[in-house]
Amino acid sequence: MTTTAAAMNGGIGIPPSSSSSSTTTMTTAQQLKTYFKTPEGRYKLRFEKSHPSSLLHYTHGKSVSQVTLAHLKEKPASVSPAPGSSFSASGGMRYAAKLLGAGNGGRTALGIVGVNGATKAITGTSRNGFNSLSSGSVPTSNYDGKGTYLIFNVGDTIYISDLNSHDKDPIKSIHFGNSNPVCHAFDPDAKDGHDLLIGLNSGDVYSVSLRPQLQDVGKKLVGAQHYNKDGSVNSSRCTSIAWIPGADGAFIVAHADGNMFVYEKGRDGTGDSSFPMVKDASQFCLTHAKSSKSNPVARWHICQGTINAVSFSPNGRYMATAGRDGYLRIFDYVKEQFICGGKSYYGAILCCAWSMDSKYVLSGGEDDLVQVWSMEDRKMVAWGEGHGSYVSAVAFDPYWSPPSSDGAEETIMYRFGSVGQDTQLLLWDFSMDEIVVPLRRCPPGGSPTYSTGSQSSHWDNVIPLGTLQPSPKVRDVPKLSPLVAHRVYSEPLSGLIFTEDSVLTACREGHIKVWMRPEFSENQSVLEEKVLLPS
């Protein structure tokens, strides 16, 4: 019986055991395909990323690998380019190198792009064995780090891989002495250089600049700023971390005790950082710091229990949280107001994600289901069944567009994906104009109301602002079926990212697969044939 089936019958679902036999794992691995089909074409496995093979399994600990996409923009050149240099020629070669698997200016498949030099920065030592940039010391490397990178955690280490390289092993590792990194976030538009956040199992938080980490040849953080040192603000583990859109360097850290703290990078934090005791742990409570010099500047108490995930809407106004108590909560972050929330059908909600237009929120969790929530209706408007175990990550695909014959269609169609502990990637299509709204059930002894098209009671109710709703009856909410179901790996999956040319999936053991979109797969094959043909 699956968790969903157990939940529908009031029972208790049990996730599949992660300690399967080696024979079963090998058999499953042999059955894995290097492609999956969708209506728009075939997605092909381009390459894989992972931690070094020498890493022993038991060193992973209990931390689940998460993956963050980091795009470093071109560093402003200090020296003007030589006159007469051909930009178009170098640009064409770099584009060919990218499609053929060359890195971000580092190692390449065909030696098209050279390697930039690097100089180790002068560092000093701080707590947990981290290195901090000494006063007045600045990396002198001419390597600007331009490109796209994958940041993922395994055990006590953060690994950084070059997304556009065929190399499977990471190009950089950062070791943490006393605690495991468990969450991270990257801000491509950071102004002062600190663009990467790292939250630890101990509750400590660090902000660093990614570019110096790539320049330095050591295995410790360079130029890190430390927050919640030794649990001075909150001693529970970090569970999720996110930059606040449009807040000029502010970020929020979620903890296992149901609290979230807002920090401002660069603030010294010399003021009183204590907050009053929460009177009712089950109720939302927002408290600002007592001192203007405090860091954190505010505490959001969300719920009683762990906050598994926090996600901001693309427009920067709303914030969604996924709770261990089974509730998805949505806030107006600008107005500091609770808007709405709803409960899962069973167990905790583990993940949440926003649509590109900030109109819908996805959630997934221990009921094995994917749920779609509408900001306009302030309720669940669809649920999807297809996973055989917990749903660990969900995401909308901002680069996908539905096929249209004349381009005049007004129907808005969304593509989103989900991955779970059942090792599967599921793709879904969703449109409010095309879902079938359940009709009222025939009252006992009465005539059916199907002919009048009367909708179920779930759609009649107007949800008041600030309402935390119980889970609606399954029959009252439209059901979605997955467009694609593809077994990705032999281990449970933990991460999903959509990029312009690919789909990235990550398993909790720290293995990442890059699936090329159909149109880019075809372009890559054509380019490879042209470049590799003898002259």
Side-chain angles (χ1 to χ4, degrees):
M1 179 185 295
T2 65
T3 306
T4 304
M8 300 305 179
N9 290 283
I12 299 178
I14 301 175
S17 172
S18 61
S19 58
S20 58
S21 65
S22 58
T23 304
T24 303
T25 302
M26 290 179 61
T27 303
T28 304
Q30 293 172 354
Q31 296 174 349
L32 298 177
K33 294 183 178 180
T34 58
Y35 67 89
F36 59 88
K37 296 179 180 179
T38 65
E40 60 267 20
R42 178 178 293 193
Y43 285 70
K44 297 179 181 179
L45 179 62
R46 184 181 181 189
F47 39 67
E48 301 181 45
K49 305 291 181 180
S50 186
H51 51 75
S53 56
S54 59
L55 184 67
L56 298 178
H57 180 79
Y58 64 80
T59 62
H60 292 189
K62 296 182 179 179
S63 300
V64 174
S65 291
Q66 302 292 338
V67 60
T68 294
L69 188 70
H71 180 67
L72 276 180
K73 299 179 180 179
E74 186 171 4
K75 189 177 181 180
S78 57
V79 181
S80 300
S85 60
S86 175
F87 174 81
S88 59
S90 62
M93 292 295 284
R94 286 177 181 173
Y95 177 73
K98 178 178 179 180
L99 288 181
L100 288 173
N104 294 319
R107 292 165 289 185
T108 68
L110 297 178
I112 295 177
V113 183
V115 179
N116 294 311
T119 302
K120 186 175 181 180
I122 301 173
T123 59
T125 304
S126 63
R127 177 182 175 264
N128 285 350
F130 292 104
N131 289 349
S132 299
L133 201 62
S134 300
S135 176
S137 63
V138 179
T140 58
S141 168
N142 64 351
Y143 174 59
D144 65 7
K146 175 188 175 183
T148 305
Y149 301 89
L150 295 176
I151 301 167
F152 59 101
N153 58 289
V154 181
D156 63 352
T157 304
I158 286 283
Y159 292 102
I160 305 175
S161 286
D162 184 342
L163 174 61
N164 296 313
S165 168
H166 275 294
D167 290 335
K168 186 175 183 178
D169 289 343
I171 60 175
K172 174 74 176 181
S173 61
I174 303 172
H175 295 284
F176 295 75
N178 299 334
S179 184
N180 290 358
V182 291
C183 53
H184 27 84
F186 181 79
D187 179 10
D189 300 316
K191 293 182 179 180
D192 67 354
H194 274 217
D195 46 21
L196 177 61
L197 300 171
I198 302 173
L200 307 186
N201 197 56
S202 62
D204 293 67
V205 178
Y206 290 87
S207 70
V208 296
S209 177
L210 177 58
R211 186 171 277 111
Q213 313 311 313
L214 297 171
Q215 292 172 313
D216 188 76
V217 297
K219 295 186 177 181
K220 304 297 180 182
L221 282 179
V222 175
Q225 187 168 348
H226 199 167
Y227 308 88
N228 193 29
K229 185 176 182 180
D230 298 323
S232 59
V233 178
N234 189 293
S235 59
S236 65
R237 63 184 171 88
C238 298
T239 56
S240 186
I241 195 166
W243 292 102
I244 301 172
D248 194 19
F251 60 92
I252 197 163
V253 184
H255 289 269
D257 63 353
N259 287 304
M260 299 196 304
F261 293 89
V262 180
Y263 294 85
E264 293 181 358
K265 66 177 183 180
R267 183 184 284 253
D268 56 13
T270 56
D272 183 8
S273 297
S274 63
F275 291 86
M277 184 178 296
V278 176
K279 295 180 180 180
D280 187 351
S282 63
Q283 298 297 317
F284 164 62
C285 176
L286 173 61
T287 308
H288 291 277
K290 301 175 183 177
S291 171
S292 59
K293 295 183 178 180
S294 297
N295 206 15
V297 299
R299 179 191 67 190
W300 291 62
H301 177 79
I302 303 299
C303 59
Q304 187 173 15
T306 303
I307 302 169
N308 291 319
V310 57
S311 178
F312 282 91
S313 60
N315 63 11
R317 179 175 179 180
Y318 303 113
M319 176 180 70
T321 63
R324 183 71 187 90
D325 61 357
Y327 281 96
L328 175 77
R329 293 174 172 85
I330 301 174
F331 301 85
D332 187 322
Y333 183 81
V334 177
K335 294 182 178 180
E336 300 181 336
Q337 180 183 19
F338 172 64
I339 297 179
C340 62
K343 201 174 189 308
S344 67
Y345 286 104
Y346 168 81
I349 292 182
L350 303 177
C351 52
C352 56
W354 288 86
S355 62
M356 304 69 69
D357 53 12
S358 304
K359 292 183 178 181
Y360 297 97
V361 185
L362 294 174
S363 69
E366 294 180 353
D367 55 10
D368 307 350
L369 305 176
V370 177
Q371 297 164 352
V372 185
W373 305 79
S374 167
M375 288 299 296
E376 180 181 357
D377 299 310
R378 296 198 289 268
K379 68 177 71 172
M380 185 197 305
V381 294
W383 61 276
E385 184 178 30
H387 283 286
S389 187
Y390 298 173
V391 178
S392 48
V394 290
F396 279 94
D397 185 349
Y399 302 99
W400 178 85
S401 57
S404 176
S405 56
D406 54 6
E409 294 183 7
E410 296 182 359
T411 300
I412 300 177
M413 179 76 73
Y414 300 86
R415 165 71 58 82
F416 63 87
S418 59
V419 295
Q421 293 189 17
D422 59 356
T423 73
Q424 288 197 106
L425 162 68
L426 268 57
L427 296 181
W428 315 72
D429 284 350
F430 164 75
S431 173
M432 279 299 294
D433 294 331
E434 295 185 6
I435 63 173
V436 179
V437 177
L439 304 179
R440 289 189 189 276
R441 306 192 81 185
C442 177
S447 60
T449 59
Y450 292 96
S451 59
T452 61
S454 180
Q455 298 177 348
S456 67
S457 58
H458 176 71
W459 297 89
D460 291 340
N461 298 329
V462 177
I463 306 300
L465 192 69
T467 302
L468 198 59
Q469 311 159 52
S471 54
K473 295 179 180 179
V474 173
R475 64 173 180 263
D476 288 342
V477 184
K479 178 183 176 181
L480 302 177
S481 297
L483 180 73
V484 173
H486 177 66
R487 190 170 301 280
V488 173
Y489 208 76
S490 56
E491 297 289 340
L493 301 180
S494 60
L496 173 64
I497 297 176
F498 291 98
T499 71
E500 184 177 3
D501 57 6
S502 60
V503 178
L504 281 62
T505 56
C507 83
R508 66 180 184 183
E509 301 295 334
H511 304 288
I512 302 168
K513 290 188 176 183
V514 181
W515 306 87
M516 211 68 177
R517 294 182 187 269
E519 61 270 29
F520 288 92
S521 297
E522 296 174 1
N523 293 339
Q524 183 187 22
S525 300
V526 172
L527 186 59
E528 285 178 346
E529 291 177 2
K530 288 183 178 180
V531 174
L532 297 178
L533 282 175
S535 56

